[in-house]
Amino acid sequence: MDELDQFKKQWQEDKNFIKVDQSDIKTMLHKSSTSIVKWIFMISLIELSLGIILSLLLPNSNRDELPFFHFVDYASELVFYCAIAYFIYKFFKSYTSISSTNSTKNLLNSILETRKHVENYIKFNIYFIMYSFFVAFLELTIRKIDLDHKWGSNLLMIIAFAVCITLVAYLFIAIFKFYYKIVYRRLLRKLNNNYEELNRLEQE
């Protein structure tokens, strides 16, 4: 619980609790927003580090007979890590912007920017999961299809692969959405509350 949450809790429990002026509330909202964006930056950095460690520990699949998927794999990893690095840079930039500004207007703009970057970060990760499973489906289909068999047998096999991979992909996406809801959505909700409170104070 940050300083602002503690103040609200004490104020609700004790109506005689000392009142503070707008500048003090804005200062607490500023500190709270800075702390939230700092956590977003740190969590995304931990996620990137874990992703790199896992990619180094997991064995590479044998794709000598499918060089195209070698290229797709490396290109996808390059795009993924570049995109994640870009988002981490944006989170760090938002953190430095929020922590250094003394203007309420700039703070409001920085909160909006951070919210947009987090939303895009979540969408990118989910879309990349969908893309990865689609590539896995194509590779599995090409590996297992047998042109010597009748087209009906191959079609049934393709449908079976599509159903299985779709179900597994749906499960993975559901898990990641739950994770993002617990971690990022919770932080965003607090950031949105700070934004609304600052906006209200600015209009008074």
Side-chain angles (χ1 to χ4, degrees), residues 132-157:
S132 299
F133 276 99
F134 177 72
V135 172
F137 165 72
L138 290 180
E139 182 179 1
L140 185 62
T141 300
I142 293 174
R143 282 178 179 275
K144 299 299 181 181
I145 198 168
D146 190 346
L147 297 178
D148 294 332
H149 288 177
K150 294 181 179 180
W151 67 269
S153 300
N154 287 325
L155 180 61
L156 287 175
M157 182 181 64

Side-chain angles (χ1 to χ4, degrees), residues 34-94:
T34 302
S35 176
I36 291 169
V37 178
K38 182 180 179 180
W39 273 108
I40 290 173
F41 167 68
M42 291 175 63
I43 291 170
S44 63
L45 201 59
I46 292 171
E47 290 173 351
L48 177 63
S49 301
L50 289 176
I52 293 174
I53 292 171
L54 285 174
S55 66
L56 294 175
L57 293 177
L58 292 176
N60 294 322
S61 60
N62 183 17
R63 289 176 172 171
D64 292 338
E65 70 278 15
L66 295 174
F68 170 75
F69 285 101
H70 260 303
F71 170 76
V72 170
D73 188 37
Y74 288 125
S76 299
E77 283 191 9
L78 178 62
V79 170
F80 177 77
Y81 286 118
C82 285
I84 297 301
Y86 165 80
F87 282 115
I88 290 176
Y89 166 74
K90 286 295 183 180
F91 294 153
F92 178 73
K93 191 175 179 181
S94 295

